[in-house]
Amino acid sequence: MEKVNVKEKLLCLKAGLLFIILLFWVTGVALICLGATVQLRLTDISVVLSETSSGAPLVLTVTGIIIFIMSGFGAISVLKENNMLIKTFIGIMVVIFIIEIIVGISAYSYREKLQSDISRRFQQILSKYGIDGQLTRSLDYAQQEFRCCGAQNFTDWMNVTVTLLPSSVPKSCCRKVTPKCGEKVMAHQDNIFLEGCVIKMKMWISQHIDVIGAVGVGLGFVQLFGILLSFLLVKILQENYVSL
């Protein structure tokens, strides 16, 4: 009877752990997809962003790959009922949990600095529009993609006189792009994006950081539960089985 109870406990613990590992796997795939999606959107505006912000998608993708691999290792450990492998899995989860806390706190506290870096960077490169080809293409793409104009607002372009006519903005600032849509914009602002790109980018960054933060918190709780179940599984295996 006692042996049956032990088998039932073992079966429940394995089922619970495998379910948690499945959640890890799904999270890992989601982070890989999110990192790739963000990277694709930021590729054409990487010149506009700071190095730290343009490298953020890579961090997401690498994190997703690590979680994906950890999930596979965890599943093998549980199915084999091997104490050593399960203990290694516990150690990996603890290390990743600590890293997640450190990275999460750092990312959240760095958000304001990141946004101010984007603002400063955007202001600096406006004067190079039309001179640097890659930068010009990046700015045009950013303004069309985020439906914005200038750094703070469209009037920032009024101070750029090197390659633009007076009271003019780039065509990428136009809602409907036509050959001369960016000229004499003060007289027809209805066809111009009025909001600045810094504001739009800040909103976009904040939305994604909030989503990533929520996923991280949820994953953290799941990890703690997974560590607890793993400890219980190891205890039962040590008491009733010989590790293979």
Side-chain angles (χ1 to χ4, degrees), residues 16 28 37 59 76 83 104 125 127 131 142-143 153 187 190 197 201 205 222 240:
T37 301
V59 174
I76 293 171
N83 269 342
I125 62 180
S127 59
I131 300 173
Q143 292 186 143
N153 55 59
D190 55 316
C197 293
M201 287 183 174
I205 290 172
V222 172
N240 300 276

Side-chain angles (χ1 to χ4, degrees), residues 181-200:
C181 65
E183 297 180 8
K184 299 178 181 178
V185 294
M186 300 306 291
H188 54 88
Q189 298 179 20
D190 55 316
N191 191 39
I192 300 296
F193 299 128
L194 302 180
E195 282 188 283
C197 293
V198 171
I199 297 172
K200 289 293 188 75

